[in-house]
Amino acid sequence: MTPPTIRDVARHAGVGIGTVSRVINNSERVSPETRQRVQEAIRLLGFRPNKTASQLSRGMQIRNVGVILPFLTFHAFTERLRGVQIVLNEANYELVLYNISSPERFDEQLVEICQNKLVEGLLIIALNLTPAQHTLLEDAAIKYVCINDHCQPGIACIGPDNVVGGRVATEHLLGLGHHKIAYVGDSFPDNYGFLTSYDRYTGYYETMLAHGVLPRPEYIRLGEHGKDVARLLTTELLNLSDPPTAIFAMSDIQALGCLAAIREAGRHVPNDISVIGFDDIEISSYVGLTTVRQFLEESGRLAMRWLLWLLNDSHIGTPLQLPLPELVVRETTRRLP
Amino acid sequence: MTPPTIRDVARHAGVGIGTVSRVINNSERVSPETRQRVQEAIRLLGFRPNKTASQLSRGMQIRNVGVILPFLTFHAFTERLRGVQIVLNEANYELVLYNISSPERFDEQLVEICQNKLVEGLLIIALNLTPAQHTLLEDAAIKYVCINDHCQPGIACIGPDNVVGGRVATEHLLGLGHHKIAYVGDSFPDNYGFLTSYDRYTGYYETMLAHGVLPRPEYIRLGEHGKDVARLLTTELLNLSDPPTAIFAMSDIQALGCLAAIREAGRHVPNDISVIGFDDIEISSYVGLTTVRQFLEESGRLAMRWLLWLLNDSHIGTPLQLPLPELVVRETTRRLP
DNA sequence: CTGTTAGCGCCTTCAG
DNA sequence: CTGAAGGCGCTAACAG
């Protein structure tokens, strides 16, 4: 059944469409009885004005940009959203938020988005595009920028340098005299095909080698993303006959899991063992976690600003760059006695 | 300057509008040269297809609901967003996110939203509506539900019972033998006219009295919302000649501030002093904070489900109820020796 | 106060 | 392959 239109209502109420329009727009120039009749017809038919038509007719066009991301529940993502909002508040765009519930649904949703033509631009956070998906977007004339670890050439993309970040973390630990340094992170590649963990691990591995210390296989603990898995992995580490004196967790959330495991084991941070995370989400400052900052909010700001340029100046300006990951020393790392 | 239309492009390229339409929709049935010419004209004029017209013409209507909230940066709000998303993922609505940057702008934005007619429904989080704003929304035929402490009669609204929550927290502390209990919270009413702090304080105050202990004025510390202010207030408390043995912070974020101050003062939680928060945001489980749970995610779910009912069944069903606030005991409270 | 008439910008036949 | 015409559902002048 095609939904009822203003014309159906008019016929039903025995009035002209102009009157119906007046009623739904609360114009004064309608007699109470007529209004009454029209409103009844509206209720009867379950009529709901078509916003699209209304907008078109009144010549106003609402500009939307979309943000699409996999986990609204991840701090590293919501914190970027803040940056996005900051930029958008100035611009005259509405923000449409798409949250991918599972990897499989991403493609579906992208197709929908392209068909809808609701948004003019799309900010794609932590999601890898296939070539097919690129052309899909191009064809739909939807401009997009990605926040992503691995920037593909020719597409607007910003992201942190995770290898450098891994190095920064590892050098900090090494500089404190630690050699028995463990790595706790996501298995790579993860479900979304991401290599974040791999890169941070690479930074760790190379730095260790460069300093002449060979990372021990039993110190590398990989698992699904999340605090609890990290907690388990850390417990395993602590139970080793020769446990590490420091842990580099690939994310702050996982670092919090490490902290929990260490506390449960009755050990103390940073006296017994040092922990460094990665991301510098807001929580970290609250709990005093030493970490590597990757400028989350700023990445949201930059990316959205770039998208807006694309939309309005229609040429990629100077590619925007994020600062390199930066060490933030707080209270969970300490010089090895 | 009114933006160029498909007709301008057609004239410029010396073709019919049908051809232009075909080009922008990637139809096969266009000769390469013609397409070339059209695309040039498009670029030249900076033409961008009008999505509204396109949608209308192709008979598709996108349903949007909006969520409007004051601080995207507040955990208590973003966690509700998750619940919203969960419900929305099933339904066929897009989510438009409005972030209020300042109290003054709220009214403006609301007016815009009503004029736009972009969204059919609105979920209003932690924002008080004036009667004028109610009728504004009614007139625009925008259904709405509020997540709010104080439900006004006749409008769809759900929210936690803060007085009960305050009682729960206070009773817990009292039950542990504490009498010297401080309250750290927002000044009331806050900038947005909210009485959240007042209500939680009321729960605290009444419970104290009911147990025959008179709250001491110097134990009541009010200030702006945030971790750092709470930290300062707590330091003041600790410097009192007769400091409290327990603190009830009106939010988990503020409780974290208390924890920081206590740590800085060289005291230990929960041995020297107990702390209980309010909200049970995710961070709290990470840091082991005892708190009062107010079912954030669930409130988002319920509210959005309600809104969807309003939109599609057009009558308020049984008002949805949130569970009462509930004690979550973790590691920051302890029986008074 | 109310019905009628033009469009809004685009897509989709339908002839050519 | 391409141009012209009709219509999507609604609003905004107009006449009555």
Side-chain angles (χ1 to χ4, degrees), chain B residues 15-16 19 22 30-31 34 56-57:
Chain B
V15 299
T19 306
R22 268 166 229 129
V30 183
S31 79
T34 318
L56 175 60
S57 169

Side-chain angles (χ1 to χ4, degrees), chain B residues 27-270:
Chain B
S27 162
E28 302 300 306
R29 324 187 151 278
V30 183
S31 79
E33 313 95 61
T34 318
R35 157 157 311 176
Q36 195 67 32
R37 233 164 356 116
V38 173
Q39 278 170 338
E40 236 156 73
I42 290 181
R43 196 162 328 117
L44 214 73
L45 299 177
F47 165 80
R48 270 157 31 182
N50 179 320
K51 309 174 316 296
T52 313
S54 147
Q55 276 176 212
L56 175 60
S57 169
R58 97 177 51 182
M60 62 199 290
Q61 185 169 351
I62 301 173
R63 304 200 168 297
N64 302 308
V65 293
V67 173
I68 186 167
L69 41 68
F71 295 102
L72 199 49
T73 86
F74 280 15
H75 296 262
F77 297 166
T78 55
E79 297 197 12
R80 289 200 245 246
L81 256 192
R82 290 188 211 170
V84 168
Q85 278 284 12
I86 290 172
V87 174
L88 243 27
N89 270 345
E90 323 274 286
N92 217 18
Y93 280 87
E94 306 300 354
L95 171 60
V96 181
L97 196 59
Y98 299 97
N99 181 36
I100 303 295
S101 39
S102 74
E104 305 81 46
R105 285 227 51 211
F106 175 45
D107 198 63
E108 277 178 57
Q109 287 216 226
L110 209 56
V111 170
E112 274 177 34
I113 290 173
C114 290
Q115 287 174 343
N116 277 350
K117 306 209 168 180
L118 208 204
V119 300
E120 294 176 21
L122 201 54
L123 179 55
I124 302 169
I125 301 184
L127 253 7
N128 277 321
L129 293 183
T130 63
Q133 289 169 330
H134 279 134
T135 63
L136 185 67
L137 285 163
E138 304 283 4
D139 288 351
I142 294 180
K143 312 268 191 178
Y144 55 98
V145 356
C146 304
I147 297 186
N148 223 37
D149 303 338
H150 286 273
C151 299
Q152 291 154 37
I155 88 168
C157 176
I158 76 180
D161 189 323
N162 287 312
V163 178
V164 168
R167 185 166 65 220
V168 167
T170 311
E171 272 170 357
H172 172 61
L173 260 16
L174 252 8
L176 291 176
H178 293 277
H179 286 84
K180 298 195 279 186
I181 304 176
Y183 176 85
V184 171
D186 301 357
S187 326
F188 31 80
D190 66 15
N191 288 339
Y192 287 81
F194 265 89
L195 293 171
T196 314
S197 178
Y198 176 71
D199 290 339
R200 295 181 187 174
Y201 169 77
T202 302
Y204 155 84
Y205 192 86
E206 289 177 353
T207 307
M208 293 289 270
L209 286 191
H211 285 248
V213 8
L214 195 66
R216 305 197 210 168
E218 70 268 31
Y219 283 175
I220 314 301
R221 297 284 162 165
L222 271 20
E224 216 178 309
H225 189 87
K227 182 203 175 197
D228 290 324
V229 172
R231 189 162 55 74
L232 263 31
L233 296 176
T234 304
T235 303
E236 294 174 11
L237 284 171
L238 297 175
N239 288 337
L240 252 26
S241 58
D242 185 17
T245 63
I247 301 180
F248 168 31
M250 75 151 282
S251 76
D252 286 352
I253 290 296
Q254 281 155 314
L256 292 174
C258 299
L259 257 26
I262 295 167
R263 205 166 46 217
E264 284 163 17
R267 320 263 182 105
H268 188 259
V269 171

Side-chain angles (χ1 to χ4, degrees), chain A residues 141-173:
Chain A
I142 295 181
K143 312 270 191 179
Y144 55 99
V145 357
C146 304
I147 297 186
N148 223 33
D149 303 339
H150 286 273
C151 299
Q152 291 154 35
I155 87 169
C157 176
I158 75 178
D161 190 323
N162 287 310
V163 179
V164 168
R167 183 165 69 222
V168 167
T170 312
E171 271 170 357
H172 172 61
L173 261 15

